[in-house]
Amino acid sequence: MRIFCGRANPTTGSVEWLEEDEHYDYHQEIARSSYADMLHDKDRNMKYYQGIQAAVSRVKDRGQNALVLDIGTGTGLLSMMAVTAGADFCYAIEVFKPMADAAVKIVEKNGFSDKIKVINKHSTEVTVGPDGDMPCRANILITELFDTELIGEGALPSYEHAHRHLVQENCEAVPHRATIYAQLVESRRMWSWNKLFPIRVQTSHGEQVIVPPSEVEQCPGAPSVYDIQLNQVSPTDFTVLSNVLPMFSVDFSKQVSSSAACHIRQFEPLASGRAQVVLSWWDIEMDPEGKIKCTMAPFWAHSDPKELQWRDHWMQCVYFLPQEEPVIQGSAVFLVAHHDDYCVWYSLQRTSPEKNESIHPGRPVCDCQAHLLWNRPRFGEINDQDRTDQYIQALRTVLKSDSVCLCVSDGSLLSMLAHHLGAEQVFTIESSAASHRLMKKIFKANHLEDKINIIEKRPELLTSADLEGKKDLWRIRSPCGDCEGFDVHIMDDMIKRALDFRESKEAEPHPLWEYPCRGLSEPQQILTFDFRQPVPSQPVRAEGSIELRRPGKSHGVVLWMEYHLTQDSTVSTGLLKPAEDKGDCCWNPHCKQAVYFFSTTLDPSAPLGGSRTVSYTVEFHPHTGDITMDFTLSDTLEDEH
C-alpha cells in the first residue's frame, strides 16, 4: 500500500505531497516526535510525580482503591509513577500503535505488567463494564494531552468524554487545573509576521512604493497560533501594553466542556500604543491547592527566572489581533479570549462585550490568500526592507532596458521589483491557484495587472510559448536511558531504529534563532548551484570532512543556502555573520535551517594527539529535487610516525 505524506519545504515553508510506502508515518512519528524531549523535561516529570503521589494519597486516605486512567500514556512513564506511588491498578491508553507496543515492553521490563494494562485505542473508544477494556470507572485521571496552545491536541474533547464515560464523579485529576495567561504588546517585528508592509523601491524615476491590497490589510488572518521560544525574543522587540492577565482556567477534576466560549478581562493599558499582538502561555497545577505548579511563563513573567526550564515540546504562543488597535494609557479596554474545541484566538473591545453585539464567536478565516500561502517567517522575510534592498541592488547590476525577466517563485514580489527597475517585460510563474489569486490582487492594487504576465504552471512544464516566444532541538534525539528511575531504553532503541529509516536521515527544518547553540566548526561549502547554467542531467555529489575546532558536544550538522546575487551581494538563509570566538551563532530569523541530527555524540574533548571530524556525503538529484546526505561523527587519532 502507498500513502501520500506532506513534507514542509524548509525554504518556502510550503507543504509538498510525496508518495511514500505504508511504513513512512511510523518512522516519521518516532524519529521526529517530542517523546524524548518530554522525557528529558525534569521539571515536568518531577511535578507530575509529586502530583500523582498526592492524588494517590488522597484516594487512599478515603479508604478507596486507587484506580488510574492514564490517557496518552506514551512510554507508560506516568502510569509507572502512579504504581510506584501506591496505585492499585492503571489503565494506560495510547492510540499510536508503535508507541503502545513500546509501552507494553517498557512496563514489562520495569516489572509493572501485573499493575498496568496498556490499551491501544483512542480514549473515546475505550469501553467500561464486565466485558469492556476497564471493569469499572477510574477515580484518578492522569493525562498529558497538551501542546503549546494547551488545547490544540484535543484535550478538551478527550476530558469531556472521559468524565462522561470513563472516570467517577469528582475524581482526582493530575494535573488538577490549567490557567491560560495573556499579555498585550506592540511589536513591529511580530506584526511583520502577520501583515504585508509597504515596500519601498528607489528607481531612476524616484521612489516607488509597493502597497498591500486592501483585502490583505483588512484580513483577520489565519487562526493558527505561532508557537515560538519567547525567551529568545529580545525585550527591545516589543512594548508591553498590559500586565499579565489570567484569561481563563480549566478544572480537570470536574466535567469539562469542549463547546465554544469566550472569556473577558478588563484592563487599563500600561502605555499608549498600537495593540497588535497577544503573547500567551499557560501553567498547570498538579494539586487542588496549587502548590505543585509547572509553568510555561517566559523569563520576564517567571516567578524564579533562575529556575527556568528550557523545553521544546511546550513553548509560548504569539497571537495576532484581527487589526491593530490604538490604546491609551489608563483608558480601560477589554481583552477577549475565544476558544472552540481545538483553537484559541483573541480580540480587543472598547466596550463591555456583553453589550457589544459585534462579538463573533467563530474562528477568524483568511480570505485574502496571503495567510494561506505565506507562513509567519515568510511574511517577515518579505517585509525585511534590508533584504529587499539587497535584491534591488543586485537587479540593478543585471537589468537593461530590453531585459525580459522570468520570476520562478510562488508568491514572490521580485517580479514587481524587476518591473520598477526598468525591465522591458516581466513574467512570473505562480504554480498554485492560491499564489495566482494573491499575486493578481497585489498587481491590481499597484496598477500592474497589465504590466506583469502571470503564468500558472509548474516551472518544469514551461514552454517558449508561455514566454510569448521570447527566451532571454538535539535533546529531542538524545537517548533517555533511565527516566526518573524507570528504564526506558526500549524507547531509545525504537528512536534509533527509526533514525535508520531513509526519511530520518534527511535534514529537518528548524528555526535555529530560537535555540541556543554554538558552532564547533567554521562554515564549509558543500555544494554549489550555478543558476546561469542548465540543470545538470546527472546527480551532483560532494564528499569531504569538516574539522571540529571548538570543544563541545556535537549534536548535528546545520545546512543552509547562500544566494550570491552579485559578486558583492549575498543573501544567507543561515548564518548572518561569522560565529564569535566561542562559537555563538547569529541565524537568519526569517528562515528555517536544515538540521541533520547525529544519533550519538562524542565526548566534548578531542582525544589526545588527535582531532574530531565529521565526514560527509551529499548528493543532489536534479530530476526530483531531493538532496540525500550522510554525516558521520568520529575521533581521528594522529599517526605517531
Side-chain angles (χ1 to χ4, degrees):
M1 183 178 70
R2 308 290 289 181
I3 59 175
F4 286 100
C5 298
R7 180 192 298 175
N9 184 312
T11 302
T12 65
S14 63
V15 175
E16 300 169 351
W17 291 93
L18 301 176
E19 187 181 24
E20 298 285 356
D21 66 49
E22 60 183 318
H23 299 296
Y24 177 85
D25 268 353
Y26 158 74
H27 292 283
Q28 278 286 80
E29 288 290 338
I30 296 300
R32 294 186 174 181
S33 71
S34 293
Y35 286 117
D37 187 58
M38 289 188 286
L39 295 177
H40 281 294
D41 189 339
K42 292 289 186 180
D43 180 63
R44 163 194 177 272
N45 297 342
M46 179 182 67
K47 301 294 176 55
Y48 260 100
Y49 200 10
Q50 292 173 349
I52 290 169
Q53 288 175 313
V56 171
S57 294
R58 288 193 297 273
V59 171
K60 293 286 189 177
D61 289 345
R62 295 196 291 266
Q64 302 173 354
N65 287 336
L67 303 178
V68 174
L69 174 64
D70 175 10
I71 300 179
T73 194
T75 60
L77 175 65
L78 301 184
S79 287
M80 292 189 292
M81 287 181 176
V83 173
T84 303
D88 294 281
F89 203 85
C90 292
Y91 301 93
I93 315 301
E94 177 55 53
V95 68
F96 184 41
K97 189 177 188 309
M99 187 53 62
D101 292 343
V104 170
K105 295 176 183 177
I106 292 171
V107 166
E108 181 180 4
K109 186 175 182 64
N110 285 275
F112 293 114
S113 295
D114 60 332
K115 290 290 187 76
I116 298 175
K117 178 183 179 182
V118 178
I119 302 172
N120 180 208
K121 287 185 176 181
H122 193 283
S123 64
T124 57
E125 299 173 344
V126 172
T127 57
V128 176
D131 299 321
D133 300 304
M134 302 167 54
C136 61
R137 293 186 177 221
N139 54 14
I140 299 177
L141 175 58
I142 300 173
T143 60
E144 209 284 51
L145 301 171
F146 314 119
D147 64 352
T148 294
E149 198 174 19
L150 186 71
I151 67 172
E153 292 184 358
L156 295 182
S158 296
Y159 271 110
E160 185 175 42
H161 177 271
H163 276 286
R164 287 179 177 171
H165 302 286
L166 305 178
V167 297
Q168 299 174 16
E169 187 177 358
N170 297 319
C171 69
E172 300 290 341
V174 182
H176 181 84
R177 181 187 300 106
T179 302
I180 288 183
Y181 299 88
Q183 189 167 34
L184 191 67
V185 303
E186 175 183 346
S187 173
R188 177 177 174 81
R189 179 186 179 187
M190 296 184 198
W191 197 238
S192 76
W193 301 336
N194 182 59
K195 295 290 185 180
L196 181 60
F197 293 172
I199 298 170
R200 304 186 182 280
V201 185
Q202 299 296 332
T203 74
S204 57
H205 303 291
E207 183 180 78
Q208 300 288 333
V209 181
I210 300 173
V211 298
S214 59
E215 295 99 316
V216 176
E217 289 190 300
Q218 296 167 7
C219 180
S224 57
V225 63
Y226 188 22
D227 51 341
I228 68 171
Q229 298 280 359
L230 273 182
N231 291 313
Q232 301 305 119
V233 177
S234 171
T236 60
D237 282 333
F238 59 92
T239 300
V240 171
L241 299 179
S242 78
N243 289 316
V244 176
L245 305 171
M247 295 305 300
F248 64 94
S249 296
V250 182
D251 187 337
F252 297 124
S253 69
K254 300 178 181 178
Q255 181 63 57
V256 173
S257 173
S258 63
S259 300
C262 64
H263 307 271
I264 306 155
R265 289 293 178 268
Q266 182 179 3
F267 70 97
E268 294 183 358
L270 301 176
S272 298
R274 294 174 297 169
Q276 299 168 324
V277 173
V278 176
L279 308 181
S280 182
W281 56 89
W282 49 263
D283 62 33
I284 46 178
E285 297 171 358
M286 301 298 184
D287 61 322
E289 296 78 21
K291 295 179 180 179
I292 309 169
K293 182 180 293 187
C294 185
T295 181
M296 306 306 119
F299 67 87
W300 66 85
H302 202 284
S303 58
D304 188 359
K306 293 181 180 179
E307 297 297 320
L308 193 69
Q309 170 76 44
W310 190 93
R311 47 173 65 93
D312 195 50
H313 59 103
W314 294 329
M315 294 184 277
Q316 294 82 36
C317 302
V318 175
Y319 295 96
F320 304 95
L321 294 178
Q323 298 295 328
E324 64 178 13
E325 300 280 353
V327 295
I328 300 173
Q329 182 179 3
S331 181
V333 290
F334 298 84
L335 184 64
V336 185
H338 310 259
H339 76 80
D340 53 20
D341 48 351
Y342 284 91
C343 187
V344 178
W345 64 97
Y346 287 86
S347 65
L348 194 67
Q349 305 291 332
R350 299 193 178 281
T351 58
S352 176
E354 288 90 347
K355 303 175 183 177
N356 189 339
E357 297 181 357
S358 66
I359 296 246
H360 299 287
R363 294 186 191 182
V365 176
C366 171
D367 52 17
C368 75
Q369 306 297 318
H371 301 91
L372 305 179
L373 181 65
W374 298 330
N375 62 14
R376 305 302 189 188
R378 180 61 171 158
F379 263 102
E381 190 175 51
I382 291 173
N383 285 324
D384 187 339
Q385 186 67 49
D386 291 339
R387 175 181 177 275
T388 298
D389 290 342
Q390 284 187 279
Y391 276 95
I392 291 172
Q393 179 184 349
L395 285 169
R396 280 202 188 102
T397 64
V398 297
L399 284 179
K400 301 176 182 178
S401 59
D402 60 348
S403 293
V404 177
C405 294
L406 174 64
C407 179
V408 186
S409 181
D410 277 1
S412 168
L413 304 186
L414 284 177
S415 59
M416 304 177 72
L417 300 183
H419 170 79
H420 285 311
L421 292 173
E424 178 186 7
Q425 196 165 6
V426 180
F427 298 87
T428 182
I429 296 179
E430 306 299 338
S431 58
S432 72
S435 66
H436 191 168
R437 289 193 294 268
L438 174 61
M439 296 314 295
K440 284 184 67 175
K441 293 177 183 178
I442 295 176
F443 293 163
K444 184 177 181 180
N446 289 275
H447 310 292
L448 297 177
E449 62 266 41
D450 298 327
K451 308 291 185 181
I452 300 176
N453 300 287
I454 301 178
I455 303 171
E456 189 175 350
K457 272 191 176 181
R458 294 189 62 83
E460 62 268 23
L461 301 178
L462 197 67
T463 67
S464 59
D466 295 312
L467 304 178
E468 301 175 4
K470 299 186 178 182
K471 296 182 180 179
D472 221 89
L473 302 156
W474 165 245
R475 198 173 76 167
I476 297 172
R477 297 292 179 74
S478 175
C480 300
D482 292 330
C483 179
E484 312 306 330
F486 301 103
D487 187 340
V488 293
H489 281 87
I490 291 168
M491 176 69 182
D492 296 336
D493 295 339
M494 186 166 60
I495 290 178
K496 191 175 187 307
R497 287 194 301 271
L499 287 170
D500 290 334
F501 191 65
R502 175 188 63 79
E503 173 64 14
S504 299
K505 285 194 171 184
E506 297 178 359
E508 303 175 15
H510 289 281
L512 290 185
W513 72 271
E514 295 185 39
Y515 301 91
C517 57
R518 293 191 310 113
L520 303 185
S521 75
E522 299 304 319
Q524 184 164 317
Q525 181 176 299
I526 302 294
L527 290 175
T528 299
F529 305 94
D530 191 339
F531 299 141
R532 298 169 297 182
Q533 303 298 323
V535 176
S537 58
Q538 299 298 322
V540 180
R541 184 182 178 90
E543 297 180 351
S545 62
I546 304 170
E547 183 179 353
L548 305 186
R549 298 179 177 273
R550 299 183 182 93
K553 282 189 176 181
S554 184
H555 299 114
V557 176
V558 182
L559 299 96
W560 68 91
M561 293 285 284
E562 289 188 353
Y563 296 98
H564 302 283
L565 307 181
T566 66
Q567 187 174 358
D568 302 320
S569 181
T570 298
V571 172
S572 173
T573 66
L575 282 180
L576 297 181
K577 59 183 181 181
E580 298 177 0
D581 292 342
K582 294 184 179 180
D584 294 332
C585 300
C586 178
W587 299 101
N588 188 326
H590 304 312
C591 303
K592 291 184 178 181
Q593 291 73 41
V595 182
Y596 182 101
F597 287 103
F598 298 132
S599 57
T600 59
T601 61
L602 296 180
D603 187 88
S605 57
L608 185 63
S611 63
R612 296 181 302 155
T613 60
V614 175
S615 57
Y616 63 83
T617 302
V618 179
E619 191 168 75
F620 169 64
H621 303 269
H623 295 295
T624 63
D626 289 338
I627 297 180
T628 56
M629 60 192 71
D630 184 56
F631 292 88
T632 303
L633 185 63
S634 61
D635 287 332
T636 304
L637 293 175
E638 295 179 354
D639 191 337
E640 295 181 358
H641 305 288

